[in-house]
């Protein structure tokens, strides 16, 4: 049994009991082949809930600090997060964005499912912010379809993304696959990258019902 299967078997029932996820549209995720899951990011537990809501293993980028902790707690965190598909990347360095992009490309070229939060960070206030164009570069470089998704209610269970979450019901809603083959060979055209990204974010907004803010979430946090 793989570590992911073990974690799902052991912790899956506990997480389902605690968060009671209502999953809608899971049939939109292709059963095989590369696929990008792109959605909103409300709080820390989004990445804990996602792995139990899909039949396929899902890989995603996470801060390397989650796997570099010391002592028993640090080892348990590293075991858990790498087990559920997190790939640690140092995103604070000057080449952090490039490293994340190349990691996602490698996962997709291995015909796996890769999850990404195009906002680049958690929403500071529950609204949906402008997407970074890395999502567009990934789909155009690899040809992988994009399945938009929405996490709904996780911010109510863990306000501010800090502290222990409280029990409650959340919804994970997947939209229909989006493909952008009409833009083949245009992964360096900034207008195309913005158009693709905005179309994905429009679907995420429709699925989540969030208010959209045409501003990067990092800028909003700096201005707060």
């Amino acid at each position: 049994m793989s570590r992911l299967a073990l974690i799902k078997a052991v912790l899956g029932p506990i997480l389902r009991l605690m968060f009671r996820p209502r999953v809608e549209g899971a049939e939109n995720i292709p059963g095989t082949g590369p696929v990008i899951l792109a959605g909103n990011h409300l709080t820390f537990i989004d990445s804990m809930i996602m792995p139990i809501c899909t039949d396929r293993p899902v890989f995603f980028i996470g801060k390397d600090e989650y796997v570099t902790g010391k002592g028993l707690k640090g080892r348990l965190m590293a075991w858990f997060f790498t087990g559920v598909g997190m790939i640690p990347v140092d995103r604070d360095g000057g080449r952090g964005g490039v490293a994340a992009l190349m990691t996602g490309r490698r996962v997709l070229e291995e015909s796996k499912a890769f999850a990404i939060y195009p906002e680049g960070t958690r929403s500071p206030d529950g609204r949906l912010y402008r997407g970074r164009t890395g999502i567009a570069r990934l789909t155009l470089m690899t040809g992988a379809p994009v399945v938009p998704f929405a996490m709904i209610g996780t911010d109510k269970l863990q306000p501010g993304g800090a502290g222990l979450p409280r029990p409650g019901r959340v919804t994970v809603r997947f939209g229909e696959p989006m493909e952008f083959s009409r833009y083949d060979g245009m992964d360096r055209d900034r207008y195309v990258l913005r158009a693709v990204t905005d179309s994905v974010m429009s679907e995420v907004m429709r699925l989540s019902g969030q208010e959209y803010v045409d501003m990067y979430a990092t800028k909003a946090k700096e201005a707060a």
Side-chain angles (χ1 to χ4, degrees):
M1 179 182 289
S2 69
R3 193 161 21 136
L4 176 58
L6 178 61
I7 289 174
K8 277 193 171 185
V10 175
L11 295 183
I14 297 174
L15 294 176
R16 289 190 183 91
L17 181 64
M18 187 172 182
F19 301 122
R20 294 177 287 149
R22 180 189 295 111
V23 183
E24 301 175 3
E27 68 277 4
N28 290 322
I29 303 174
T32 59
V35 61
I36 302 168
L37 307 180
N40 59 338
H41 194 14
L42 296 171
T43 190
F44 178 78
I45 59 174
D46 294 339
S47 296
M48 296 176 64
I49 295 172
M50 172 61 72
I52 67 171
C53 295
T54 61
D55 291 333
R56 293 184 63 176
V58 177
F59 297 86
F60 56 94
I61 296 296
K63 296 179 180 179
D64 61 351
E65 65 191 58
Y66 292 153
V67 300
T68 57
K70 304 298 183 181
L72 178 61
K73 179 181 177 182
R75 291 195 297 272
L76 287 174
M77 286 184 64
W79 181 85
F80 173 79
F81 282 110
T82 57
V84 297
M86 193 197 88
I87 303 172
V89 170
D90 180 3
R91 297 182 300 175
D92 294 329
R95 296 183 59 81
V98 175
L101 185 68
M102 292 301 100
T103 299
R105 180 176 185 174
R106 174 175 56 79
V107 170
L108 294 168
E109 288 177 344
E110 293 173 356
S111 293
K112 297 175 180 177
F114 182 71
I116 186 172
Y117 303 117
E119 291 168 281
T121 186
R122 293 192 294 265
S123 170
D125 54 17
R127 295 185 295 177
L128 184 69
Y129 283 80
R130 197 178 200 215
R132 302 280 181 174
T133 57
I135 174 67
R137 292 193 65 189
L138 275 179
T139 185
L140 296 184
M141 285 191 300
T142 64
V146 178
V147 173
F149 71 87
M151 308 295 295
I152 302 170
T154 54
D155 55 331
K156 302 297 189 296
L157 305 185
Q158 193 181 32
L164 293 175
R166 56 175 177 263
R169 179 177 287 279
V170 301
T171 297
V172 184
R173 183 175 295 147
F174 296 97
E176 295 184 0
M178 306 173 70
E179 63 89 23
F180 300 96
S181 58
R182 60 190 179 280
Y183 297 124
D184 280 352
M186 303 177 72
D187 59 280
R188 294 188 179 277
D189 186 312
R190 63 189 182 96
Y191 296 106
V192 169
L193 294 177
R194 175 47 54 192
V196 170
T197 302
D198 287 348
S199 65
V200 171
M201 297 308 289
S202 178
E203 277 300 293
V204 174
M205 179 180 67
R206 184 184 66 81
L207 292 167
S208 69
Q210 290 171 281
E211 176 186 348
Y212 180 74
V213 183
D214 192 20
M215 176 183 186
Y216 291 123
T218 50
K219 294 294 185 182
K221 289 181 177 181
E222 291 171 1

